[in-house]
Amino acid sequence: MTQALIVVVYLILLLVLGYISSRLFRGNSNDYFVASRSIGPLVLFMSIFGTTMTAFAMVGSTGESYRVGIATYGKVASSSALIHSACFFLVGLPLWALGKRNGFHTQIEFFRARFESSNLGYLLFPILVGLIIPYLLVGLMGAGSVMQGVTRGAFPEIFTSTGGAVPPWLTMLVISCVVLYYIFAGGVRSAAWANTFQTCVFIVMGFIAFVTISSKMGGMQAASAMADPGKAVRAGNLTEMQFLSYCFIPLSVGMFPHLFQNCLTAKSAKSFRLTLVAHPIAIMITWIPCILIGLWATGAVMPDGMTPVIPEGTSPNAVLGMMVGKLATPIIGGLVTAGIMAAIMSSLDSQFVAVGTMFTKDIVVHFFGVDRFSEKQKVLLARVFICTIVFVTYLFTLAEPRSVFSLGIWCFSGFAGLFPLVFAAIYWRRATKVGAYAAVIGSAITWFILFRNSDYGANGSYLVGGVMPVAVIFLTCAICMVVVSLFTLAPSQDTLDKFFKRKP
Amino acid sequence: MSKEVVITFMLVLFVLHQDFWFRDDATLILGILPIGLAYHMAFTALAATAWLVIVRFAWPKYLEEEENEGNEQ
C-alpha cells in the first residue's frame, strides 16, 4: 500500500511538471518538436542519458545479471560507455550541424535529402516505428513487472488474481497516460525537463536500493559471499564470440530516431561536450548497483536463513521488484519503485515524441505539403498518431510476456543493424540512393528472418554461427550499402556540396 | 591531436574491453566486487577519461566554424 502511494505521489509531481512546462510552450511545431534548438549542456546530457536508460538498464540488467552473472555489465554497459559517446561524437554532432543548417527535424528528412529520394522516407518510416514498438514494450512491461513485484499482497481484496499486487495492465495504463499528458503539454521541451528530473530521481533511488538491500543482507561483503560464484565470472555464462559480437548492440544509439531528435534540440555543438564525458560515468553509476543486486539475488535468502528471496523459476523481469519488495522497508521500496518508473518514463516520453514527429513531418506534411495544415493541426496530428502507437503497444503488452532484456536486444539489433546507413550517409560521398535502399531492405529482411527463427524473441539464447544476430544484420547492411553504391550512379554535385561542404 | 591518434586510442580501448584475462577469475576485490566487474568499472572510467581528452584536444574545428557562422547570421 505504502509503495503504491509513493508512486502515485511521484506521478502527480510529474503531472505538475508537465503543466509548468506547458506554460512555456510557444505553440509552434518547431518548439514542440525540437524545443526551438535551445537546450543547454546539462539538460541535454540528462535528457540523452535518461532516454538511453530504460527498463532495459534497470529491470533487464538486474534480471540478466541474475541469469548469466556479471558478464552482463561487460557485454552491454562498459561497451556502451565507449561506443555511445563515439556515436554522439561521430554521428550526433555532424547530424546536429546538418540539421541546424538545413532545418531538419527528423532522421527521415535527413536521409531523404542526402539520398535524393522521397520514397526512401516511406520505406524507412514503418521500419523505424516498427522497431520503436518493442522498445516501448520493454518500458511498459518493465514498469508492470516491478510494480507487481513490490506491491505483492498490498491489495488482497481488490486484486485477487495477482495475489494482491497491482496488476501489470493497470500500471502500464497509468504510466502511458501520465507520459502522454506531460508530452502533450509541452512536446520535446517538456520531455527534456521531465527527463532531467527523472534521471536525478532514478540515480539517487538506485543507490538507495543498493544500500538498503546490501544492509539487509548483512553488508556488501556478506551479500557477495552468498552469491553463486559461477555468476561472478564470464566463463561458462557467455562465449568469447558472443561477448565480442555484443559490441555491435550499442551502435543502435546512432540510429534511434528519438536520440536524433534529442541531438537536434542542442543549443550549440559545445552543449555535447558534457554528454560525451559524463555519459560513461553515468552508465556505471546506474548499472553497477543493478548488476550487483542481480548477482546477490542468486544467493539471497530471507531472514529465516532458508527460504530463497527469489524462488526457482522466477521470471528475470521480476527479480529487481522482488528484491526491493522483500528486502526493503515499504517507504524505501516505494521510493525505489518511483525511481524505476522514472527511468522507464524518461525513455518513453522521448520515444512518444519521436514517433509523433516522424508521422507529422515525414508522412503527413511531406505528402500533403507544408501549407496544407496549420501549426496547431500539425501538433494535433502528432498527438493522434502517438495515441494510436501507444494503444497498439499496450495491446501487445497484454499478449504473452517476453524477457525485457531479450526483447530490448532485438530492438537494439534492428537499429544497430542500420548503423552503416547513417555512417555512410555522413562520411562516404559515394553512398548512393540505390545503395541506401539495398541497405535498408537487406537489413530489414535479415532482422525479420532471424527474429522469426528465435521464436519472435522467446529464445533468449539464439545465436547465428556462435555470434549475436546483430552482427549478421550489421554486416548485411554494410555489404549492401557498399556493393550496390559502387555499381550505381553517384549522388548529384548539388547534394554533395550540401552535405560535404566541410569535412565532418 | 591528429585524427589518427584518436582512432588508435579508440582501437586500444576496444581491445582492452575484450578482457580475456579475468574471464574465469572469481576473486572478490575487497570481498565485494568480482574482479571481472571491477575491471570493467575501471574500463568505464578510462573511456570517460579518453572522451575528456578528445573533447579537450581534438574537438572538430568545423563545428566551431559552423557556430560562428550561425551567430553571424
Side-chain angles (χ1 to χ4, degrees):
Chain A
M1 176 74 91
T2 309
Q3 293 96 322
L5 275 176
I6 291 173
V7 172
V8 168
V9 169
Y10 177 71
L11 295 178
I12 291 170
L13 267 177
L14 273 181
L15 293 175
V16 172
L17 188 69
Y19 176 77
I20 293 169
S21 64
S22 74
R23 310 308 300 166
L24 296 168
F25 178 40
R26 297 174 192 174
N28 60 55
S29 61
N30 195 46
D31 198 57
Y32 188 82
F33 296 129
V34 291
S36 304
R37 301 183 203 274
S38 63
I39 301 292
L42 184 64
V43 176
L44 183 71
F45 158 63
M46 296 292 239
S47 178
I48 286 180
F49 178 69
T51 301
T52 55
M53 294 297 115
T54 174
F56 180 81
M58 302 192 82
V59 181
S61 66
T62 310
E64 188 71 355
S65 174
Y66 172 75
R67 200 174 71 84
V68 301
I70 58 142
T72 306
Y73 184 81
K75 72 181 181 181
V76 184
S78 66
S79 56
S80 297
L82 180 65
I83 296 171
H84 280 186
S85 288
C87 287
F88 301 145
F89 186 72
L90 296 172
V91 176
L93 272 168
L95 287 181
W96 170 82
L98 288 166
K100 188 182 173 198
R101 197 190 308 154
N102 298 292
F104 298 139
H105 290 91
T106 69
Q107 265 178 324
I108 288 177
E109 285 178 340
F110 163 72
F111 284 124
R112 272 180 168 143
R114 167 63 183 85
F115 291 115
E116 305 167 312
S117 170
S118 169
N119 288 334
L120 182 63
Y122 295 124
L123 174 68
L124 267 173
F125 178 77
I127 292 172
L128 295 176
V129 173
L131 285 171
I132 282 187
I133 288 178
Y135 204 168
L136 297 173
L137 266 173
V138 165
L140 292 177
M141 283 167 50
S145 301
V146 169
M147 198 64 182
Q148 187 176 17
V150 297
T151 57
R152 200 170 293 274
F155 305 98
E157 288 171 6
I158 306 173
F159 306 119
T160 48
S161 63
T162 53
V166 176
W169 68 263
L170 181 58
T171 305
M172 294 187 285
L173 185 66
V174 172
I175 291 286
S176 300
C177 291
V178 171
V179 178
L180 284 175
Y181 170 76
Y182 73 73
I183 59 162
F184 283 1
V188 76
R189 181 190 299 281
S190 191
W193 279 35
N195 278 356
T196 304
F197 172 60
Q198 301 203 88
T199 302
C200 296
V201 170
F202 75 69
I203 287 177
V204 172
M205 295 309 162
F207 184 73
I208 290 174
F210 175 74
V211 171
T212 308
I213 289 171
S214 65
S215 165
K216 192 77 177 179
M217 291 179 73
M220 286 191 270
Q221 288 181 332
S224 291
M226 273 194 274
D228 176 0
K231 298 288 164 55
V233 293
R234 194 167 88 214
N237 294 304
L238 201 67
T239 67
E240 293 309 302
M241 286 306 288
Q242 264 181 290
F243 190 73
L244 178 66
S245 52
Y246 253 103
C247 286
F248 285 98
I249 296 286
L251 290 172
S252 52
V253 302
M255 271 302 293
F256 283 156
H258 48 288
L259 270 184
F260 180 93
Q261 202 170 345
N262 273 353
C263 288
L264 291 186
T265 62
K267 192 174 183 180
S268 71
K270 285 176 185 163
S271 300
F272 283 88
R273 289 180 172 181
L274 178 65
T275 300
L276 290 172
V277 179
H279 190 80
I281 299 298
I283 285 178
M284 180 164 66
I285 292 171
T286 308
W287 276 70
I288 287 294
C290 296
I291 296 292
L292 282 174
I293 290 171
L295 176 68
W296 294 342
T298 60
V301 288
M302 296 302 286
D304 63 12
M306 297 286 288
T307 316
V309 175
I310 309 295
E312 205 173 327
T314 299
S315 160
N317 294 351
V319 173
L320 182 59
M322 290 179 83
M323 286 290 279
V324 171
K326 292 184 179 182
L327 297 178
T329 61
I331 290 177
I332 297 290
L335 290 172
V336 172
T337 308
I340 296 167
M341 297 297 151
I344 291 167
M345 288 189 287
S346 65
S347 300
L348 289 177
D349 53 15
S350 300
Q351 292 159 348
F352 286 0
V353 173
V355 294
T357 310
M358 286 197 296
F359 177 71
T360 311
K361 295 276 178 189
D362 301 328
I363 303 296
V364 177
V365 171
H366 187 79
F367 188 80
F368 291 102
V370 73
D371 298 325
R372 171 68 178 77
F373 298 99
S374 68
E375 291 291 297
K376 279 190 176 173
Q377 284 173 321
K378 286 176 196 168
V379 173
L380 180 66
L381 281 167
R383 289 173 175 175
V384 169
F385 186 72
I386 291 168
C387 285
T388 309
I389 291 296
V390 173
F391 182 66
V392 169
T393 308
Y394 183 72
L395 292 181
F396 275 119
T397 63
L398 304 178
E400 185 196 347
R402 296 275 188 267
S403 153
V404 163
F405 194 88
S406 173
L407 204 55
I409 288 295
W410 275 105
C411 162
F412 300 156
S413 297
F415 285 114
L418 286 167
F419 184 82
L421 176 74
V422 70
F423 195 79
I426 296 169
Y427 291 99
W428 194 33
R429 298 168 67 94
R430 192 64 185 74
T432 69
K433 173 173 82 174
V434 189
Y437 275 99
V440 173
I441 293 169
S443 51
I445 291 173
T446 310
W447 182 89
F448 182 75
I449 290 171
L450 299 180
F451 186 55
R452 191 190 60 187
N453 291 351
S454 75
D455 194 15
Y456 299 98
N459 178 4
S461 310
Y462 179 73
L463 297 173
V464 183
V467 300
M468 294 294 293
V470 62
V472 180
I473 303 165
F474 180 94
L475 288 176
T476 305
C477 183
I479 290 168
C480 288
M481 170 57 87
V482 173
V483 173
V484 177
S485 289
L486 288 176
F487 287 98
T488 49
L489 198 62
S492 69
Q493 194 56 48
D494 279 352
T495 298
L496 292 178
D497 289 343
K498 187 174 172 185
F499 286 90
F500 296 90
K501 183 179 160 190
R502 295 188 182 92
K503 201 175 176 185
Chain B
M1 188 185 283
S2 72
K3 194 180 279 183
E4 287 72 23
V5 176
V6 175
I7 292 168
T8 308
F9 210 2
M10 287 297 117
L11 287 176
V12 169
L13 281 171
F14 185 77
V15 173
L16 286 176
H17 177 263
Q18 296 315 304
D19 164 34
F20 309 111
W21 33 94
F22 293 128
R23 60 187 302 277
D24 51 5
D25 188 341
T27 306
L28 292 175
I29 303 289
L30 302 173
I32 300 167
L33 280 175
I35 194 164
L37 187 58
Y39 174 83
H40 278 279
M41 287 173 70
F43 174 85
T44 307
L46 183 63
T49 310
W51 283 111
L52 182 64
V53 172
I54 289 170
V55 161
R56 179 74 183 82
F57 298 107
W59 191 246
K61 286 197 169 53
Y62 81 96
L63 289 171
E64 305 291 341
E65 292 164 17
E66 191 86 37
E67 284 189 32
N68 291 340
E69 264 182 29
N71 292 340
E72 283 164 21
Q73 283 166 10

